Amino acid sequence: MLLTVLHLSNTLWATILFTLHEKATTKKLYDVLWEAPFSQKICVISQSIFLLQFMNFFSDIGNYFLLLKDVFKRPQNRHLYKDQVFSEMVSIGIGSLPIVAVVSIFMGAAVVIQLAANLDNPIYPLWVNGFASRKTIVLEFSPTIISLILAGKVGSRITSEIGSMRISEQIDALDVMGVSSASYLILPKMIACLLFNPAIITLSIFLALFGGGVAGHLSGLITMTNFLMGLRLEFQAYEIFYAIIKGVVFAFIITSVSGYRGYTVKG
């Protein structure tokens, strides 16, 4: 991959030089840029910035997977890791319950009210609102919206915590003591989020459906009987399993990416 990037770089610069001056192969780059028109200078700068960002993108991907290899190393002290996992479950999981509960209730209420307003037609059966609300909340809204909220709350916490340890050289001290700092700092957070995120998603689904049913009933848009009939209609356990799988995938991405950003911070 590195040879490919270098080849693209050389090809790009050769094209730029040839475009700037017909005798670019015999002159230095700085001389060509100095004599080039302003518009072509801007073109060279923009293409150089793009190439730099392109190379940094693949460099970040490579460093990310190398860090994951260190994260999943065999723990040296499992009892210490176990205590750390429970501590992270309390701080990451329990600490996120209030905001998850509030957002889920209002999200479910908004979904049911909007669907009731858009499905206000005599040709639709009375239970269609509950059926559509279940599909929307279980398959998309709860796993995705709650994961986005956790990405901001949990991700920023993990990045700031590990980043501050990197800046204060605490991670270097762990490496000097022979402790796998990447595994010790990131793996417990990852395990805690992978275990607790499905539970948060399941709770969010329940609260969203409950809030939607209550909002629809109080607003007079749908009766609780018709709403529950739609919720139970053609229900499949696969829908909940699908939501949990999405939650697990999002949990891994949130913890691994935020851990990588915090672990590799510079300052």
Side-chain angles (χ1 to χ4, degrees):
M1 181 178 292
L2 179 59
L3 294 177
T4 303
V5 173
L6 292 177
H7 176 70
L8 291 174
S9 175
N10 294 332
T11 304
L12 176 61
W13 278 111
T15 305
I16 294 173
L17 291 175
F18 181 78
T19 304
L20 290 175
H21 200 279
E22 60 181 0
K23 297 181 181 180
T25 55
T26 59
K27 302 187 68 175
K28 293 182 179 180
L29 173 62
Y30 296 108
D31 296 336
V32 176
L33 291 175
W34 182 262
E35 297 176 1
F38 179 76
S39 60
Q40 292 182 339
K41 292 179 182 178
I42 296 299
C43 180
V44 171
I45 293 174
S46 62
Q47 290 178 340
S48 302
I49 294 175
F50 171 77
L51 179 62
L52 181 62
Q53 293 177 344
F54 180 79
M55 296 178 67
N56 288 337
F57 172 74
F58 283 99
S59 176
D60 285 337
I61 292 178
N63 293 330
Y64 170 76
F65 284 105
L66 289 176
L67 179 64
L68 286 183
K69 184 186 70 173
D70 296 334
V71 168
F72 290 110
K73 285 183 178 179
R74 185 176 181 180
Q76 299 173 347
N77 189 342
R78 295 185 178 181
H79 296 289
L80 184 61
Y81 277 65
K82 182 179 178 181
D83 297 336
Q84 191 72 8
V85 167
F86 283 111
S87 175
E88 295 295 340
M89 289 181 68
V90 172
S91 59
I92 293 177
I94 304 299
S96 303
L97 289 180
I99 187 173
V100 169
V102 173
V103 171
S104 298
I105 292 175
F106 284 97
M107 176 183 65
V111 169
V112 171
I113 292 175
Q114 288 295 322
L115 286 176
N118 293 322
L119 298 176
D120 187 13
N121 195 308
I123 65 174
Y124 297 123
L126 298 177
W127 47 259
V128 69
N129 193 315
F131 180 81
S133 299
R134 189 196 74 207
K135 290 289 187 179
T136 303
I137 292 173
V138 174
L139 296 180
E140 293 298 333
F141 271 79
S142 280
T144 306
I145 300 300
I146 298 305
S147 296
L148 290 176
I149 294 173
L150 294 179
K153 182 180 184 300
V154 177
S156 60
R157 175 186 175 276
I158 294 175
T159 302
S160 60
E161 180 180 338
I162 298 179
S164 62
M165 295 182 67
R166 169 64 72 182
I167 297 300
S168 60
E169 299 182 353
Q170 298 180 48
I171 295 179
D172 297 332
L174 291 174
D175 293 333
V176 170
M177 291 187 296
V179 178
S180 178
S181 58
S183 178
Y184 177 74
L185 295 176
I186 300 177
L187 185 59
K189 295 178 174 58
M190 187 178 296
I191 294 176
C193 200
L194 289 174
L195 293 177
F196 214 91
N197 207 45
I200 292 179
I201 297 298
T202 305
L203 177 64
S204 171
I205 292 173
F206 172 77
L207 293 177
L209 295 177
F210 174 77
V214 172
H217 179 71
L218 294 179
S219 61
L221 297 174
I222 184 175
T223 63
M224 189 63 69
T225 303
N226 293 328
F227 184 76
L228 294 176
M229 183 185 302
L231 291 183
R232 294 195 298 264
L233 183 66
E234 297 182 1
F235 174 76
Q236 297 178 355
Y238 169 76
E239 297 176 1
I240 302 296
F241 179 75
Y242 174 81
I244 291 176
I245 292 299
K246 288 183 68 174
V248 170
V249 173
F250 281 130
F252 176 79
I253 295 175
I254 292 170
T255 52
S256 60
V257 173
S258 58
Y260 166 75
R261 287 301 180 184
Y263 193 85
T264 58
V265 69
K266 296 180 181 179

